[in-house]
Amino acid sequence: MTGRLTILGLGPGAAGLIAPDAQAAVDGATDVLGYAPYVARIPARPGLTLHPTDNREELDRARHAIALAQGGAQVAVVSSGDPGVFAMAAAVFEALEDISPADHPDIAVIPGITAMLAAAARCGAPLGHDFCAINLSDNLKSAETIRHRIRHAALGGFAMGFYNPRSKARPDGFARALEVLRETCEPGRIVIFARAVTTPDESITVTTLAHARDDMADMRTVVLIGNPQTRRVGKWVYTPRFASEGT
Ligand code: SAH
């Protein structure tokens, strides 16, 4: 059988939010590779080998997946959310750069619902106008680059989604982001802490920049920052479809 490598997203947590095509790729896989907590979402069955690995091993995992597919396996590389958002798809293509195109296995990328969109849906429509996604992890870029991007996104009037806001290994990332926001945004700016969205542990806190604290975020939280127009309507939060000049 010709090998195939499918890079897919498992969505934010709820089974109903996995795309049918992603589920079909998992069901047809002989090998599933990914960060251990994501691989744990795949039920074991005869004929399926699970390859859970640590989260710092993306490139090795990608090379392993490519080698398995070159050897004829039906390989699924799983990420949470969307595989192209701070996840495995880019790592696979990075690994592919070392391989002659003639030897590339068949590859498909199947999108998933990314955390910031799942979180936004829970709150209403806080990303109803222009927005951007920023990874607060300083594993692969400097703290200064992160500050620079947040500052410019804020000055540009974008709503923002912060991924990887705070972890034991990187306790200061979100505190640094708050500092930049306090320099560039008004205290009433809406801030949403959306934790473990669509899982049984879900919790959502809607507050303002004045009341946001860095310990409100952890590794299971995506933080949404509204744009200058983002507002509440009843229990909901939304961002109008129009923007004022320059914001
Ligand atoms: N590929 C994933 C993101 C991986 S980075 C996606 O598209 O969603 C990991 C970060 O994603 C976490 O630190 C957190 O910020 C966010 N995240 C992933 N799942 C989440 C969920 N169910 N609820 C809230 N945030 C989540």
Side-chain angles (χ1 to χ4, degrees):
M1 200 185 210
T2 314
R4 187 175 174 82
L5 171 49
T6 306
I7 309 161
L8 60 94
L10 295 171
L17 296 181
I18 301 177
D21 284 3
Q23 188 62 56
V26 168
D27 293 343
T30 56
D31 296 85
V32 172
L33 292 84
Y35 177 38
Y38 308 149
V39 173
R41 288 169 59 182
I42 311 295
R45 61 173 158 76
L48 173 64
T49 307
L50 299 173
H51 304 266
T53 40
D54 192 45
N55 62 349
R56 301 243 170 172
E57 294 170 14
E58 281 99 352
L59 209 50
D60 286 344
R61 182 191 301 145
R63 291 193 188 106
H64 185 196
I66 292 167
L68 287 168
Q70 285 173 323
Q74 303 300 301
V75 181
V77 172
V78 298
S79 295
S80 73
D82 181 90
V85 179
F86 313 132
M88 280 306 293
V92 171
F93 292 107
E94 196 181 322
L96 220 51
E97 289 209 53
D98 299 333
I99 298 172
S100 153
D103 297 327
H104 289 182
D106 256 3
I107 295 183
V109 184
I110 301 178
I113 296 174
T114 191
M116 71 186 288
L117 299 187
R122 278 289 198 248
C123 304
L127 305 176
H129 200 57
D130 299 339
F131 63 86
C132 62
I134 301 179
N135 187 348
L136 295 193
S137 163
D138 56 7
N139 270 352
L140 300 169
K141 62 186 169 195
S142 72
E144 193 41 46
T145 297
I146 298 170
R147 279 198 200 92
H148 178 81
R149 290 186 181 177
I150 295 171
R151 189 174 300 120
H152 284 80
L155 293 172
F158 290 95
M160 290 168 244
F162 291 155
Y163 288 73
N164 294 309
R166 192 163 163 267
S167 70
K168 288 200 184 83
R170 293 184 305 276
D172 305 329
F174 184 55
R176 285 198 297 254
L178 280 176
E179 267 172 38
V180 177
L181 291 174
R182 291 195 164 114
E183 290 160 18
T184 44
C185 303
E186 68 293 347
R189 182 68 62 97
I190 300 260
V191 178
I192 298 168
F193 294 90
R195 182 172 193 276
V197 174
T198 82
T199 80
D201 302 328
E202 175 176 299
S203 76
I204 309 245
T205 304
V206 180
T207 184
T208 60
L209 185 53
H211 294 102
R213 293 191 323 268
D214 77 311
D215 64 358
M216 291 172 154
D218 67 6
M219 270 319 269
R220 296 187 74 193
T221 307
V222 64
V223 184
L224 303 183
I225 313 296
N227 83 3
Q229 279 83 37
T230 303
R231 60 192 74 179
R232 299 180 196 240
V233 52
K235 65 174 187 174
W236 300 100
V237 178
Y238 90 106
T239 299
R241 292 169 298 139
F242 49 83
S244 337
E245 207 49 47
T247 62

